[in-house]
Amino acid sequence: MLQTIADTFVGNDVDLIFANATPAAQIMTTSTSEIPILFTSVTDPEGAQLVDTLEAPGGNVTGTMDLHPDAISQTVELMSEQFDIETFGMVYNAGEQNSEYQVSIAQETADELGLSVETATVQTSADVQSATESLIGSIDAIYIVTDNEVVSGLDAVIGVAERESLPLFVGELDSVAAGGLAGFGFSYYDIGYKTGEMAADVLVNGADPATLSVEFPPELELVFNEGAAERMGLDWDEEWDSIADNVINE
């Protein structure tokens, strides 16, 4: 389907292509080296071979990332400092390059802090519950990054976390509102808006994507979900009120 869409855009000689998420951006990029392409919601543009570097993309492609450089490391630090967690579990789709990249950052930070990471992989969202349950007994917490398949099956992870009284940390704010305990995040509206501004710069001002640096998300926000804490059997720590940018009760 994505290739058909790309072929149609190229055949119609459109002025610019907007691609949401890594798979779409990769297909569009391999389909044309002439039409400007702007992506959003891409975690690792370099690893996905969309750009040469973040500072100097070097081709016809640039855009906005959906991973703040500090989000994952700060989440792992939060687990260590506020929850005395020694081992956390991560469920992800090993076929999703974004997820592999995020898990590697989490593993690196865990190693620096003396924490252990247990992983379980999925192929589809139907695998999420069984993968999560396979980690029970060897972990103190669960950390779900912005993996498309796992976030699609997040309700299953939440159910396991609540049943097993395990704190669940998540990679974006919608997942906190859905029932995760805590997460660092930002507004996807903001990165979409920024990509629109970049598109206007290309279309109106003639800016060259090769020299338009890839943009990071805005400043991170730490959000806690007090209702989730209760359902996960956690006693609320008043210090969480002081370190959080926002506390919700969903």
Side-chain angles (χ1 to χ4, degrees):
M1 176 63 75
L2 283 173
Q3 187 61 63
T4 301
I5 294 171
D7 292 342
T8 300
F9 287 163
V10 173
N12 290 338
D13 193 25
V14 298
D15 295 319
L16 181 143
I17 296 173
F18 175 84
N20 184 25
T22 301
Q26 288 175 317
I27 292 294
M28 301 302 153
T29 298
T30 58
S31 299
T32 177
S33 59
E34 302 296 329
I35 299 173
I37 299 171
L38 291 180
F39 59 76
T40 193
S41 300
V42 169
T43 301
D44 181 18
E46 290 185 57
Q49 299 183 327
L50 299 175
V51 298
D52 293 340
T53 68
L54 301 182
E55 296 77 15
N60 61 317
V61 185
T62 189
T64 58
M65 296 177 61
D66 68 351
L67 178 65
H68 190 284
D70 300 325
I72 294 175
S73 59
Q74 288 186 13
T75 301
V76 177
E77 289 168 3
L78 177 71
M79 287 190 272
S80 176
E81 295 170 2
Q82 292 291 325
F83 294 86
D84 296 324
I85 287 164
E86 296 182 357
T87 303
F88 61 91
M90 303 188 75
V91 181
Y92 70 102
N93 177 6
E96 189 170 326
Q97 190 272 336
N98 284 348
S99 302
E100 289 274 14
Y101 178 65
Q102 292 180 80
V103 170
S104 71
I105 297 174
Q107 181 68 70
E108 181 179 349
T109 307
D111 290 343
E112 293 172 356
L113 297 174
L115 276 61
S116 299
V117 182
E118 297 287 338
T119 61
T121 60
V122 303
Q123 291 184 322
T124 71
S125 58
D127 305 325
V128 170
Q129 181 163 341
S130 60
T132 306
E133 290 174 338
S134 74
L135 299 171
I136 301 307
S138 60
I139 59 173
D140 308 313
I142 304 170
Y143 180 22
I144 299 301
V145 293
T146 57
D147 179 290
N148 291 322
E149 295 295 344
V150 180
V151 172
S152 294
L154 187 65
D155 284 348
V157 183
I158 293 170
V160 173
E162 293 178 355
R163 187 182 73 230
E164 302 293 334
S165 298
L166 291 170
L168 169 61
F169 300 88
V170 291
E172 41 82 33
L173 300 186
D174 285 345
S175 292
V176 181
L181 170 64
F184 286 92
F186 53 87
S187 167
Y188 275 82
Y189 175 89
D190 289 342
I191 61 171
Y193 192 92
K194 179 60 182 179
T195 313
E197 290 182 328
M198 296 173 76
D201 200 13
V202 172
L203 293 172
V204 177
N205 301 324
D208 184 356
T211 60
L212 281 180
S213 298
V214 174
E215 296 282 347
F216 291 112
E219 186 174 348
L220 288 173
E221 179 181 7
L222 172 59
V223 177
F224 274 82
N225 186 332
E226 190 169 358
E230 181 178 354
R231 292 189 294 274
M232 293 168 193
L234 300 173
D235 294 326
W236 186 259
D237 188 331
E238 292 184 357
E239 187 175 352
W240 300 344
D241 289 303
S242 63
I243 65 173
D245 296 293
N246 189 20
V247 176
I248 62 175
N249 195 329
E250 298 288 345

